């Protein structure tokens, strides 16, 4: 007797085995595609040493060649002049990037830019700069005109005066002076070039 259906002539194969082989083939193809895409498209993360380069570039006034994230944090600047207390609303600027092996660290330095890390990100964070030329004490802090991603940053070398006082003696951020001086507190701006 002749069979009406062709599939009954094929040898019987367990459907579970066919599905398992097919699933393994699809999974291995997807895994290979994902691996090749991630290896070919991703660059290795910079290390903490790049934070030192960012710090130095911002100190020099211009950062380029590295995509960074810029944010601003408020800060109070306490100043004592001739026995009187002044509080200035100031800010710090954080310029960071994803980094491999970044320590949890902020450089203890008198520099206006310090290297910084939090475990997954690294970069530089601003602090207060003080310059005393014998007749004027310049105190400056940084604010950001942009926040978010940036690939090129410039730092203003001048600044906008926030407070100006005449003094005989005073202290700000651990720096103290005596003798007649003008005190000028300046805001320097970090923004796009």
């Amino acid at each position: 007797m002749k069979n009406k259906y062709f599939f009954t002539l094929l040898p019987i194969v367990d459907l579970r085995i066919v599905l398992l082989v097919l699933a393994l083939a699809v999974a291995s193809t997807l895994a290979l595609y994902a691996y090749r895409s991630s290896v070919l498209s991703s660059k290795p993360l910079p290390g903490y040493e790049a934070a030192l380069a960012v710090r130095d570039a911002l100190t020099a006034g211009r950062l380029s060649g590295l995509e960074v994230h810029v944010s601003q944090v408020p800060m109070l600047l306490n100043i004592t002049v001739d026995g009187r207390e002044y509080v200035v609303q100031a800010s710090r600027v954080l310029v960071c990037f994803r980094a491999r092996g970044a320590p949890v660290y902020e450089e203890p330095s008198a520099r206006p830019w310090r290297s910084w890390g939090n475990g997954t990100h690294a970069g530089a964070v601003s602090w207060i700069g003080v310059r005393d030329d014998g007749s004027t004490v310049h105190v400056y802090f940084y604010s950001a005109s942009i926040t978010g991603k940036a690939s090129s940053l410039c730092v203003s070398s001048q600044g906008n005066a926030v407070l100006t006082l005449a003094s005989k003696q005073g202290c700000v951020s651990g720096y103290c002076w005596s003798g007649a001086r003008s005190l000028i507190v300046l805001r320097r701006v970090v923004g796009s070039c």
Side-chain angles (χ1 to χ4, degrees):
M1 187 165 165
K2 204 170 183 185
N3 237 338
K4 283 168 107 176
Y5 301 103
F6 176 72
F7 66 85
T8 56
L9 297 177
L10 294 175
I12 297 175
V13 177
D14 191 0
L15 187 58
R16 290 178 294 183
I17 294 173
V18 171
L19 290 175
L20 178 64
V21 169
L22 184 60
L24 287 174
V26 169
S28 62
T29 302
L30 289 174
L32 180 63
Y33 174 76
Y35 173 75
R36 293 181 108 198
S37 294
S38 68
V39 167
L40 296 177
S41 68
S42 67
K43 297 177 185 174
L45 293 175
Y48 186 76
E49 63 278 356
L52 303 175
V54 168
R55 176 200 65 198
D56 295 342
L58 291 169
T59 300
R62 183 180 178 103
L63 171 68
S64 60
L66 178 66
E67 187 169 296
V68 294
H69 182 76
V70 180
S71 60
Q72 180 174 296
V73 180
M75 167 180 80
L76 295 177
L77 181 58
N78 297 309
I79 302 170
T80 304
V81 173
D82 297 332
R84 196 163 172 209
E85 302 276 329
Y86 297 88
V87 177
V88 174
Q89 298 285 332
S91 58
R92 296 180 81 182
V93 176
L94 175 63
V95 177
C96 66
F97 55 90
R98 283 185 43 96
R100 67 178 152 67
V104 177
Y105 179 72
E106 182 176 327
E107 179 180 16
S109 170
R111 296 174 178 220
W113 287 96
R114 300 171 171 187
S115 61
W116 169 91
N118 73 351
T120 59
H121 292 75
V125 63
S126 68
W127 188 238
I128 299 162
V130 178
R131 192 179 79 238
D132 184 350
D133 64 12
S135 63
T136 306
V137 176
H138 292 92
V139 177
Y140 51 93
F141 64 91
Y142 296 88
S143 68
S145 65
I146 63 165
T147 56
K149 289 184 180 179
S151 58
S152 180
L153 293 174
C154 285
V155 180
S156 65
S157 58
Q158 302 302 313
N160 303 328
V162 175
L163 177 68
T164 303
L165 297 170
S167 71
K168 292 181 183 172
Q169 64 180 10
C171 287
V172 60
S173 186
Y175 178 77
C176 296
W177 68 91
S178 62
R181 287 186 181 64
S182 295
L183 169 69
I184 302 175
V185 178
L186 301 164
R187 176 188 305 120
R188 291 185 175 173
V189 178
V190 177
S192 296
C193 294

